[in-house]
Amino acid sequence: IAGARRRQAALKPYNRGVTAMCQSDFETAERQFRLAMRTVPDLHLARYNLALVLMKRGRHEDAAALLEPLVAARPEEADYGFALGNALFYQTRYDEAAAG
């Protein structure tokens, strides 16, 4: 029950982050996704969306650091792999981006 309550609590900042991201308010989105991840560290969608926000803000190295464990944990999620490849590409790590 405690885990379910934490997940429910994490959904509030997560949803606020999604709304902010859709409005191109990347500062607020970053803050809200980080809050959701502090509440539930393994909330994969918060981690993924935070990485997307970081890429929008030009922080590709930070985004890749968030995406690498996601891709390792869920290699079947094409969106995670594509996002990681994009983050690596913008770091001029072309061989790694193409391999992913």
Side-chain angles (χ1 to χ4, degrees), residues 53-93:
V53 166
L54 293 175
M55 285 192 286
K56 286 286 196 181
R57 301 185 85 188
R59 294 169 49 198
H60 301 286
E61 189 173 325
D62 294 335
L66 287 170
L67 291 164
E68 286 168 344
L70 279 182
V71 170
R74 293 207 155 157
E76 72 281 0
E77 292 288 342
D79 289 342
Y80 297 170
F82 181 78
L84 177 57
N86 193 33
L88 294 171
F89 178 85
Y90 278 101
Q91 293 177 68
T92 66
R93 295 167 59 184

Side-chain angles (χ1 to χ4, degrees), residues 8-81:
Q8 184 175 357
L11 287 179
K12 290 179 183 179
Y14 173 79
N15 288 333
R16 286 191 297 261
V18 169
T19 298
M21 190 165 85
C22 290
Q23 297 171 342
S24 297
D25 181 357
F26 301 123
E27 183 177 339
T28 298
E30 179 178 348
R31 189 173 48 254
Q32 293 302 314
F33 290 137
R34 288 190 187 280
L35 180 58
M37 288 174 54
R38 274 196 300 275
T39 306
V40 178
D42 66 343
L43 188 58
H44 290 192
L45 286 176
R47 178 178 291 269
Y48 170 70
N49 282 315
L50 175 57
L52 295 181
V53 166
L54 293 175
M55 285 192 286
K56 286 286 196 181
R57 301 185 85 188
R59 294 169 49 198
H60 301 286
E61 189 173 325
D62 294 335
L66 287 170
L67 291 164
E68 286 168 344
L70 279 182
V71 170
R74 293 207 155 157
E76 72 281 0
E77 292 288 342
D79 289 342
Y80 297 170

